[in-house]
Amino acid sequence: MKVRAAVPLALLVAALQAHDAGPARRERFRDPAVVASRDGVLEMTLTAARTTVDVAGRPVVAAVYNASYVPPTLRVQPGDVVRLRLVNDLDDETNLHTHGLSVSPLGNSDNAFLHVAPGGAQDYEIRIPSNHAPGLYWYHPHSHGHSDDQVRNGMSGALIVEGLLDPFPELRHVNERLLLLKDAQIGGGQIVHRGIGDDAVRTVNGMLNPTITIRPGETELWRIGNVGADLYYLLTLDGHRFYEVARDGHRLARLVPKQQLLVEPGAREEVLVQAAGPGTYALRTAAFNTGPQGNQYPGALLATVHVAGPAVTPIALPEQLLPVADLRGAVTGRRTIVFSETEDGDTLFIDGRTFDPGRTDTRVKLGAVEEWTIRNESDELHDFHIHQTRFQVTEVDGVPQPFVGYQDIVNVPVRGAVKVIIPFTDPVIVGRFVYHCHLLAHEDKGMMATIEVTR
Ligand SMILES: [Cu+2]
């Protein structure tokens, strides 16, 4: 950058500081730290506390787990037991949710109704079924009224159930990367809360525009998770297509080529990327508008992909993966749920009611396979998420959707509707849990409801 002599340097420095501008140095892409299970058990302590961490290459005071803006990735095998001790050194209550896992919602398992008071601790024990779907999941607090604040601060990390590519000999050994997308609003050296998307610094594994180096023709598995609180990501990689393998931890029936990936708050995309010829390519997220009652925010350069070195003969990508059961013939019942909000956007509802943990809104018998119509009667986007299970999207605004697999997050268009089929068939999910909008600001303002699955 050329500095004109007429602009005093001190003024420039002040202006840069006012914007908490990013560092000039370029970081090399790094995966987050990993804690893997051993002999069927993963044991660790997650301590939530406010401390100084590195965000986008500069010190920022934030409420985080284990003194890291991007806490360890938990890697487990189907059939493992995860024992997590959550220590709450924050001034607010918190708890822990393992997003996307089909595990028990009872007791000290994945129970979003637990409260861990400031100064308190909670031992969680989460048993991952031996037939659990392999893929990318994540953990974050789910304490109503605090979820948005705590995830905005950085309290979210990845959980990977191993085995996604195991059935495919040609893909088993591809290099893999984890790209956790988080957005930080920084002011005065700490995380601050502005309107959704306003002046957000968008990071990959806490880094600002890191460099990914890959050889020409080389194939990699990118596990991309939107583990921020409220922002949508619409991803493109210049000169490349994404080959979608799994969505929200659920492997698709076939590889789906995509020019862009919509990664809603809470969603995950696992994709193969096959490097083009030597050159430099940008991984970007596009500007986004969530509707007249919602938010608008600019796009950003997320990472720079540097294709260099000796070329590799590209492996042939399979078209088919493994069959996935289409639930359209299995529906046992139907219901409609409605997302709405007040004109000022300060109170948000499911079926006209705000969240009440003591009220059971929906009752389902184990074995049911339900078609839910989710209607959005507001002027901004919401994204529907249900705990403990997953669903098949069959219709968006009346348009039938091709069947490729399952997901646990779906975008619900403004004044529109989606139809999903949700299996309540796995006995492990018996109990009470929640469904909600995964823009966590909306969830905290009421857009959450309870469901009980009984035998
Ligand atoms: Cu919402």
Side-chain angles (χ1 to χ4, degrees), residues 5-25:
V7 181
L9 190 61
L11 248 181
L12 260 180
V13 169
L16 285 170
Q17 281 170 347
H19 285 90
D20 282 292
R25 71 190 163 88

Side-chain angles (χ1 to χ4, degrees), residues 381-383 437 439 442 447:
L381 295 179
H382 300 289
D383 75 339
C437 173
L439 276 84
H442 297 176
M447 199 174 257

Side-chain angles (χ1 to χ4, degrees), residues 230 232 339 341 348 376 378 380-384 436-443 447:
D230 299 286
Y232 283 76
F339 282 159
E341 61 188 274
L348 294 92
N376 181 354
S378 78
E380 66 174 313
L381 295 179
H382 300 289
D383 75 339
F384 173 79
H436 59 92
C437 173
H438 219 293
L439 276 84
L440 294 179
H442 297 176
E443 183 233 288
M447 199 174 257

Side-chain angles (χ1 to χ4, degrees), residues 5 88 109 133 149 155 160-161 163 228 238 245 247 257 260 263 271 308 316 318 352 369 388-389 410 437 441 452:
N88 183 5
S109 181
D149 171 51
M155 290 171 62
I160 292 174
V161 178
D238 292 352
V245 176
R247 162 74 194 209
Q260 58 180 31
V263 194
V271 298
V369 178
Q388 311 333 114
T389 183
V410 66
C437 173
E452 184 165 22

